[in-house]
Amino acid sequence: MRQSSLVVVAMRLPIDDSVALDGACEWRRSPGGLVSALHPLLRQTPATWVGWAGGSGPAPSLPDVDGVRLHTVPLTRDDLRDHYEGFANATLWPLYHDAVEQPEHHRRWWEAYQRVNQRYAEATAAVAEPGAIVWVQDYHLQLVPGLLRRLRPDLRIGFFLHVPFPPPELFMQLPRRAELLHGMLGADLVGFQRAQAAHNFAQLATKVLGVSATDRRIAVDDRVVRIGAFPVSIDTDELSALSARTEVAERAQRFRRDLGDPERVILSVDRMDYTKGIEQRLTAYSELLASGHIKVRDTVLVQVAVPSRERVGQYQILRDRVEREVGRINGEFGRVGEPAIHYLTQPFDRIELAALYRVADVMAVTPLRDGMNLVAKEYVAARVDDTGALLLSEFAGAAAELSQAYLVNPHDLEGLKQGLLSALQADPADVATRMRGMREHLRRHDIRAWARSYLSALDENGSLLHRLGGTA
Ligand code: ADP
Ligand code: G6P
């Protein structure tokens, strides 16, 4: 078994599911924030990525991708139903996102969560060099740090949560809350998107486990676990350079023409998820059409909503409701050849996505709750001429950094409508000032800065950073 000095552990391997089944594979570039964030960091770093290759049954053996070794973890249909669709995406995901949908609790799901986390821990223990750095990602694998420490006490273990970490009153609902906290505390460093999440975690550690905790350090057994906020980011320069390419500008022009050369294009790009506030946004848009504040001839909304987690009931219900509403709005307000909403469920490649960002006069990113929301950052990076208004939910992690966006509370329908109108009618000089400020911030706080700050906190003696050289 080949071993690595840096091992990333995530539920999924960063590859496209359909391609993986053929034996060949490519980086998965769509859609989801975790892979988008880690891709630019790892493609030039000697590392192993431990994860699921898609599908059920025996784990395929996969070739390296861009120099990254892929180590597959096999999952059965039952594992997927009870761990991925169940505990991860129908218990933890809704609970961590303010319980905007009701979290479900089933003992069978918890058993699967433990079983699958154990399998990931064992797979990781097999591929980590002595003294390696292991970086465990996200809510699917919260028990892995603790399980791995038992198997391999020599490792330096980091855990990063890409989604929000909820306040104690929500987390306390979890029947196995103590085990989940213990699992995370197996890490040397637990990273969150926002300082509030680290604070929630420290409070819970004290309340549930009775340990001594501050927002920076938690004493567990004979160890100190460090905690903190490390807001994830994007490869700002790469996306800006891509967006500045002639072919992207030409594609953006074609998009605008195909949209009927409207005065204003509003864009939203989401996974089809109830946390993204898609329905609230459609209601706001529909009411603005009904009141005549927005006219279909002048303004179009492009809503990209890629289906996600389609076997989970709440996601099926959401998709049905969104599609019914899009149909209603187009039926009521569209004209022949002029739909009110251009609704697209396809994944786009990087060039098309950059062109969509370039064509959007207003980008509406209005989740009810979101760990970060990289789409908001991608839009800013793509606006190379400092134009474009970002309408951003206060409840997205990105709002803490992109405070010059037009901020809205998506739960407040009137506020959302007013925010959308303000962004549509904003003075171009004001738009440019805000965009310049946000672009400047993202240039300094890009994905490399994120990786550097996390890994240097994890790797106290600096040996990994030294080995990674310029990459991180
Ligand atoms: P989440 O992690 O909840 O999916 P983020 O906004 O943080 O939300 O990340 C979504 C990522 O998926 C972004 O990098 C975005 O570019 C990508 N993405 C979303 N929709 C599409 C799509 N239709 N085609 C390609 N990539 C997409
Ligand atoms: C969010 C989560 C990721 C997840 C992604 C896509 O970004 O934080 O862990 O991979 O959504 O969701 P999926 O269920 O398709 O992996």
Side-chain angles (χ1 to χ4, degrees):
M1 180 81 62
R2 294 185 300 174
Q3 294 193 317
S4 295
S5 55
L6 174 63
V7 182
V8 168
V9 194
M11 168 82 205
R12 286 177 184 282
L13 287 172
I15 51 170
D16 194 289
D17 309 345
S18 54
V19 190
L21 294 176
D22 305 343
C25 50
E26 287 178 358
W27 276 96
R28 175 187 163 102
R29 296 306 310 258
S30 67
L34 189 154
V35 170
S36 298
L38 289 172
H39 173 261
L41 165 69
L42 285 185
R43 66 187 157 182
Q44 289 150 359
T45 308
T48 295
W49 187 309
V50 176
W52 167 57
S56 54
S61 162
L62 298 173
D64 299 358
V65 185
D66 289 349
V68 177
R69 295 175 187 165
L70 302 180
H71 186 76
T72 48
V73 178
L75 294 178
T76 64
R77 264 194 201 130
D78 286 357
D79 294 334
L80 288 171
R81 187 193 58 214
D82 295 340
H83 168 274
Y84 171 73
E85 289 152 18
F87 198 80
N89 284 316
T91 304
L92 294 181
W93 180 270
L95 189 81
Y96 285 10
H97 290 85
D98 289 354
V100 292
E101 286 285 345
Q102 184 64 39
E104 286 183 47
H105 302 286
H106 298 288
R107 281 166 290 185
R108 200 182 64 229
W109 290 1
W110 170 250
E111 283 156 21
Y113 191 77
Q114 288 175 294
R115 174 172 82 234
V116 169
N117 273 251
Q118 179 70 33
R119 207 172 304 147
Y120 275 78
E122 285 168 12
T124 307
V127 297
E129 229 172 67
I133 297 250
V134 175
W135 196 0
V136 183
Q137 311 288 325
D138 233 353
Y139 60 101
H140 316 87
L141 301 178
Q142 276 173 228
L143 302 180
V144 168
L147 295 168
L148 188 58
R149 180 166 295 282
R150 246 179 269 151
L151 294 170
R152 290 285 306 272
D154 60 298
L155 301 175
R156 188 109 193 122
I157 304 171
F159 178 81
F160 186 79
L161 189 70
H162 291 254
V163 300
F165 191 76
E169 54 275 24
L170 277 178
F171 191 85
M172 291 300 280
Q173 283 183 18
L174 282 167
R176 309 308 287 261
R177 57 205 183 193
E179 285 95 327
L180 282 164
L181 293 172
H182 260 308
M184 293 165 81
L185 286 169
D188 295 292
L189 173 67
V190 181
F192 299 93
Q193 302 278 25
R194 300 184 73 159
Q196 181 63 46
H199 177 68
N200 294 345
F201 184 67
Q203 279 196 313
L204 276 160
T206 307
K207 195 177 166 84
V208 177
L209 306 179
V211 297
S212 138
T214 69
D215 290 3
R216 301 170 72 92
R217 282 162 194 275
I218 302 182
V220 199
D221 307 327
D222 52 351
R223 299 183 302 119
V224 171
V225 179
R226 294 163 59 206
I227 64 175
F230 302 86
V232 73
S233 195
I234 57 167
D235 192 341
T236 314
D237 288 348
E238 190 229 35
L239 185 51
S240 294
L242 178 74
S243 175
R245 273 161 55 175
T246 317
E247 63 186 302
V248 172
E250 286 170 359
R251 187 71 191 94
Q253 269 172 8
R254 271 208 314 275
F255 270 139
R256 190 169 275 277
R257 222 177 27 242
D258 294 344
L259 291 169
D261 265 324
E263 276 173 35
R264 286 270 182 266
V265 175
I266 307 168
L267 173 68
S268 287
V269 176
D270 306 288
R271 266 185 316 98
M272 178 71 82
D273 196 303
Y274 49 80
T275 60
K276 302 290 181 183
I278 302 172
E279 292 183 281
Q280 288 75 1
R281 198 185 302 140
L282 290 178
T283 305
Y285 189 62
S286 153
E287 290 196 5
L288 288 170
L289 286 168
S291 62
H293 285 93
I294 288 181
K295 299 206 166 32
V296 166
R297 190 163 292 164
D298 311 329
T299 305
V300 298
L301 169 62
V302 178
Q303 172 68 63
V304 179
V306 201
S308 180
R309 306 174 192 166
E310 290 177 273
R311 292 165 57 91
V312 180
Q314 288 160 332
Y315 286 75
Q316 291 162 358
I317 293 168
L318 173 75
R319 182 171 181 180
D320 286 350
R321 283 206 309 247
V322 165
E323 298 195 339
R324 204 171 322 124
E325 187 60 0
V326 169
R328 182 193 72 75
I329 295 172
N330 276 339
E332 206 165 311
F333 300 104
R335 303 154 68 98
V336 174
E338 287 179 347
I341 302 173
H342 292 256
Y343 173 70
L344 304 160
T345 57
Q346 313 123 42
F348 286 90
D349 68 26
R350 304 285 298 159
I351 290 186
E352 296 229 304
L353 203 54
L356 276 175
Y357 290 143
R358 275 197 69 153
V359 92
D361 304 292
V362 172
M363 179 86 202
V365 183
T366 56
L368 303 178
R369 174 63 74 189
D370 210 320
M372 175 49 65
N373 201 298
L374 294 181
V375 164
K377 291 188 170 181
E378 289 170 358
Y379 176 67
V380 170
R383 303 302 299 192
V384 283
D385 57 2
D386 293 340
T387 59
L390 174 63
L391 181 73
L392 181 61
S393 163
E394 293 165 8
F395 296 90
E401 294 172 82
L402 304 180
S403 55
Q404 284 160 294
Y406 295 85
L407 292 175
V408 283
N409 171 2
H411 300 274
D412 167 14
L413 186 56
E414 286 308 319
L416 186 54
K417 286 162 65 179
Q418 196 45 56
L420 192 52
L421 284 181
S422 307
L424 281 167
Q425 295 162 359
D427 171 10
D430 179 46
V431 167
T433 307
R434 290 168 181 250
M435 186 53 81
R436 249 195 312 276
M438 293 190 287
R439 289 179 57 74
E440 183 48 38
H441 175 87
L442 286 189
R443 259 195 296 272
R444 280 179 287 116
H445 297 91
D446 67 355
I447 190 69
R448 277 176 207 81
W450 173 69
R452 201 181 307 119
S453 69
Y454 184 89
L455 290 173
S456 54
L458 175 60
D459 181 28
E460 273 168 331
N461 63 18
S463 60
L464 175 81
L465 285 178
H466 180 70
R467 268 176 280 150
L468 294 181
T471 310

